[in-house]
């Protein structure tokens, strides 16, 4: 699906979910630009959305800050459809009355295209006759509404008023988009520090064959590696994604997608890709440390294996430690990932020294929001001097954008 979506973000706690929505819209094929109210910027920085979309974020009618030299009428005319998510009670009221007193409300009034609004507010504000009347006015005018749903509200109650989940809003956008004419977007992406950088990302588990049908595997979902690859692509990098067996859609804009099965194949793919030149290696794959000593050619028969079956395992090559040093250039920045429990930072630093890495992204799978496949995730960025940054627990697509920002900043800070 192509098409241009202008995502307007107003000031509710759900603003952080709008970042995820921006990413989902892009993955669905839409070009996305964003506009944010002052209040929205108290929850999420425009820099994050600028990095996600590769476009300036409209924030200020008077040309200060992010929206310098940004023509709001041009932004309004650019869009095929407008999505307001989250839409606060205040913004719904302004929209219903045609008030245009800041960048976002002005853009909305100047946008001739279809509009989808995702309200998000406290349950009493939502039920208030004024809000209900404003929503009715918007509907009569042809504005589409999605949600709100019920669930935990920021005020601590469980009730109606919660913004629809990004996936649900995406579906509503797709439904609306199917009814209108959509235009491709040829706007070049802003060039940021990742533009043109050669980035290799490894992702997912490796699968070590026991016989043709059985394998030693691990539970890596590949989510973090794929999110990093997607974020790097969106930031204009030339990305090679080397992936173990996972059932995931490749991010848009990859230079190369190498699918491998076992650790040996991953090692070969990493070596060959490094030989082609690499600025950043992000080693997010959960490479199996051991593989069966022999892989049988035919399926092993249960009856012949007896009651207790001993499987001999041998060490796989440690790709970061044993393969990468012979193939990286002096300028390649090498980032390892470490799953640690207990003293995570110390363990991560030990790993950094042992494997001669520039950075380690550590996480503790025993902490809530940091396990395999969790959509929200928390990481700690460590360099030889200690902790560089501790992230909040964020959805992986969003976390990936922050990780790239922090790595780039830390690279200069550390002189790596
Ligand atoms: O030593 P540990 O497995 O905890 O280190 C994790 C880091 O090392 C990850 O970045 C992972 O991709 C990498 N690794 C590797 N080769 C292995 C095992 C892990 O490069 N055989």
């Amino acid at each position: 699906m192509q098409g241009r979506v202008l995502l307007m973000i107003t000031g509710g706690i759900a603003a952080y979910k709008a970042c995820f929505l921006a990413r989902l819209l892009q993955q669905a094929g839409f070009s996305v630009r964003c506009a944010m109210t002052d209040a929205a910027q108290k929850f999420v920085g425009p820099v994050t959305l600028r990095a996600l979309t590769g476009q300036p974020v409209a924030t200020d009618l008077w040309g200060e800050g992010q929206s310098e030299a940004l023509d709001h009428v041009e932004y309004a005319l650019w869009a095929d459809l407008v999505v307001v998510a989250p839409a606060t009670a205040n913004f719904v009221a302004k929209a219903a009355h045609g008030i245009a007193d800041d960048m976002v409300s002005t853009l909305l009034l100047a946008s001739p295209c279809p509009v989808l609004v995702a309200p998000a507010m406290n349950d009493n504000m939502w039920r208030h006759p004024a809000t209900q009347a404003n929503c009715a006015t918007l509907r009569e005018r042809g504005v589409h509404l999605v949600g709100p749903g019920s669930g935990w509200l920021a005020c601590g109650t469980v009730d109606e008023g919660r913004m629809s989940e990004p996936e649900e809003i995406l579906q509503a956008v797709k439904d609306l988009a199917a009814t209108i004419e959509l235009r491709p977007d040829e706007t070049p992406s802003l060039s940021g520090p990742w533009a043109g950088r050669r980035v290799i990302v490894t992702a997912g588990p490796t699968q070590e064959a026991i016989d043709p049908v059985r394998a030693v595997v691990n539970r890596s979902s590949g989510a973090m590696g794929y999110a990093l690859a997607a974020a790097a692509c969106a930031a204009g990098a030339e990305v090679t994604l080397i992936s173990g067996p996972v059932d995931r859609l490749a991010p848009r804009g990859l230079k190369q997608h190498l699918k491998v099965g076992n650790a040996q194949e991953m090692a070969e793919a990493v070596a060959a890709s490094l030989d082609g030149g690499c600025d950043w290696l992000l080693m997010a794959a959960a490479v199996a440390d051991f593989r069966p000593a022999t892989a049988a050619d035919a399926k092993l028969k249960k009856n012949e294996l007896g009651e207790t079956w001993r499987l001999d395992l041998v060490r796989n090559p440690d790709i970061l430690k044993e393969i990468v040093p012979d193939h990286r250039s002096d300028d390649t920045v090498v980032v390892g990932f470490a799953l640690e429990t207990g003293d995570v930072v110390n363990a991560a630093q030990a790993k950094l020294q042992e494997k001669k890495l520039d950075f380690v992204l550590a996480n503790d799978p025993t902490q809530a929001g940091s396990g395999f496949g969790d959509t929200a995730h928390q990481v700690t960025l460590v360099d030889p001097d200690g902790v560089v940054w501790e992230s909040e627990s964020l959805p992986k697509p969003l976390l990936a954008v922050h990780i790239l920002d922090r790595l780039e900043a830390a690279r200069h800070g550390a002189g790596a």
Side-chain angles (χ1 to χ4, degrees):
M1 204 165 228
Q2 60 179 18
R4 311 167 178 191
V5 177
L6 179 53
L7 175 59
M8 298 183 173
I9 305 166
T10 72
I13 183 73
Y16 83 92
K17 288 192 185 173
C19 302
F20 191 35
L21 176 61
R23 166 63 75 235
L24 288 178
L25 287 165
Q26 286 176 316
Q27 281 173 347
F30 295 106
S31 301
V32 181
R33 292 189 188 180
C34 294
M36 301 176 80
T37 61
D38 285 351
Q41 293 170 63
K42 306 268 187 248
F43 295 96
V44 197
V47 177
T48 300
L49 284 146
R50 187 181 192 270
L52 271 168
T53 60
Q55 296 298 328
V57 176
T59 53
D60 185 352
L61 265 182
W62 311 112
E64 286 167 14
Q66 278 287 312
S67 50
E68 201 169 353
L70 193 143
D71 178 347
H72 65 273
V73 175
E74 194 266 324
Y75 251 47
L77 297 180
W78 170 86
D80 292 329
L81 61 91
V82 164
V83 181
V84 189
T88 58
N90 178 54
F91 193 78
V92 166
K94 290 203 319 193
H97 292 88
I99 294 171
D101 65 349
D102 66 357
M103 177 56 113
V104 181
S105 52
T106 302
L107 271 175
L108 186 68
L109 207 58
S111 299
C113 62
V115 176
L116 176 74
V117 171
M121 63 198 74
N122 159 279
D123 50 319
N124 289 329
M125 293 168 95
W126 171 245
R127 277 195 282 267
H128 196 287
T131 305
Q132 290 301 315
N134 289 332
C135 286
T137 303
L138 291 176
R139 276 199 203 91
E140 275 162 28
R141 222 179 267 153
V143 170
H144 303 259
L145 271 82
V146 52
S150 289
W152 277 103
L153 300 177
C155 51
T157 53
V158 181
D159 210 326
E160 209 179 359
R162 189 181 152 99
M163 187 176 85
S164 294
E165 290 304 321
E167 290 83 356
E168 209 180 317
I169 301 175
L170 172 69
Q171 191 52 53
V173 172
K174 285 180 173 172
D175 293 346
L176 183 54
T179 67
I180 59 177
E181 196 188 328
L182 299 168
R183 296 165 299 163
D185 182 25
E186 268 95 42
T187 325
S189 206
L190 282 178
S191 73
W194 289 89
R197 295 265 159 244
R198 297 160 302 173
V199 178
I200 299 172
V201 183
T202 67
T206 63
Q207 213 173 63
E208 312 296 324
I210 297 171
D211 67 18
V213 293
R214 301 186 183 90
V216 176
V217 294
N218 64 60
R219 286 167 48 214
S220 167
S221 68
M224 193 68 244
Y226 273 65
L228 284 165
C233 285
E238 277 182 23
V239 183
T240 297
L241 175 60
I242 303 173
S243 169
V246 286
D247 189 14
R248 288 189 172 274
L249 278 181
R252 285 205 311 156
L254 284 178
K255 185 181 136 216
Q256 241 188 334
H257 191 188
L258 304 174
K259 295 182 187 175
V260 298
N262 58 33
Q264 191 59 46
E265 288 166 12
M266 185 166 279
E268 283 161 20
V270 169
S273 302
L274 284 172
D275 290 344
C278 172
D279 299 306
W280 288 85
L281 171 63
L282 309 179
M283 192 77 196
V287 186
D289 294 314
F290 291 89
R291 67 176 182 276
T294 50
D297 291 335
K299 186 185 170 195
L300 299 171
K301 298 253 182 300
K302 179 170 52 181
N303 293 344
E304 290 166 16
L305 293 172
E307 283 308 305
T308 307
W309 170 30
R310 282 181 198 287
L311 186 63
D312 281 333
L313 300 173
V314 293
R315 275 297 276 268
N316 267 329
D318 187 312
I319 301 176
L320 278 176
K321 194 171 161 184
E322 296 157 28
I323 311 289
V324 170
D326 292 336
H327 296 270
R328 67 178 281 183
S329 73
D330 290 346
D331 298 333
T332 309
V333 186
V334 180
V335 184
F337 287 68
L339 211 70
E340 304 288 352
T341 52
D343 191 344
V344 173
V345 174
N346 254 336
Q349 269 192 309
K351 192 148 294 173
L352 187 139
Q353 264 140 28
E354 181 204 342
K355 303 196 186 197
K356 301 200 168 49
L357 309 174
D358 297 296
F359 297 102
V360 167
L361 278 154
N363 83 292
D364 180 347
T366 61
Q367 298 296 310
S370 278
F372 277 124
D374 278 353
T375 43
H377 203 63
Q378 193 275 324
V379 290
T380 304
L381 178 62
V382 174
D383 77 357
D385 298 323
V387 175
V388 177
W389 168 62
E390 272 184 77
S391 81
E392 300 164 54
S393 183
L394 291 170
K396 284 179 184 170
L398 181 53
L399 180 61
V401 176
H402 285 286
I403 287 176
L404 293 189
D405 279 356
R406 295 295 178 150
L407 281 173
E408 173 59 28
R411 186 176 78 100
H412 295 296

